[in-house]
Amino acid sequence: MTMEDAQHLELVNHLKDHLVPTAELEDLVSLFKSLGDLTRLRIILALAQTTLSVSELTDILGMSQSTISHQLGLLKQMNLVKGTRAGKNIHYRLADDHILTIVGTVKAHVEEQKK
């Protein structure tokens, strides 16, 4: 075995020992699937600007209340948005700044590819 082959084998074994666990990868895939829907992404981008209620999101996005509520439910399940009750309304916001980072990075990548 050559020195190059030995180094390659050592690298392969190192990578095999340090792979991301499948359960963690499945969580990542679920997150990307959540962001891979046009309506959910539009909601995320709107909430990146300010806290909004379902009725405000309905007006902004021109969609039915049931559609917005359903998509917000899915986003809440993925811990991407949080809601705070204010009287009869719930005001939604992004769960944390990581979401802005993810969406911003992907948006920058897409814009870069168009140049």
Side-chain angles (χ1 to χ4, degrees):
M1 179 182 295
T2 69
M3 176 93 142
E4 192 174 293
D5 289 340
Q7 288 174 334
H8 180 74
L9 184 58
E10 184 179 328
L11 175 63
V12 167
N13 287 330
H14 174 78
L15 292 173
K16 284 169 63 175
D17 291 341
H18 293 88
L19 285 175
V20 177
T22 300
E24 190 175 331
L25 290 175
E26 289 170 349
D27 290 343
L28 289 170
V29 168
S30 293
L31 173 70
F32 282 113
K33 283 182 180 179
S34 295
L35 296 173
D37 175 85
L38 184 61
T39 300
R40 289 191 292 269
L41 188 54
R42 290 177 74 202
I43 291 169
I44 292 288
L45 291 172
L47 294 176
Q49 302 301 312
T50 190
T51 300
L52 297 164
S53 68
V54 172
S55 62
E56 290 168 329
L57 284 164
T58 298
D59 290 343
I60 293 165
L61 301 178
M63 299 178 161
S64 71
Q65 183 174 344
S66 63
T67 298
I68 297 294
S69 293
H70 175 72
Q71 297 302 336
L72 282 167
L74 295 172
L75 291 170
K76 276 182 71 172
Q77 277 184 314
M78 290 302 301
N79 297 314
L80 296 173
V81 300
K82 291 183 178 184
T84 304
R85 183 165 293 283
K88 289 185 176 184
N89 291 321
I90 299 175
H91 292 270
Y92 291 91
R93 67 184 187 289
L94 297 182
D96 60 48
D97 289 340
H98 293 113
I99 299 146
L100 289 175
T101 302
I102 293 165
V103 173
T105 300
V106 172
K107 189 172 181 281
H109 174 72
V110 169
E111 289 169 354
E112 183 180 283
Q113 298 304 308
K114 290 184 177 182
K115 293 180 181 178

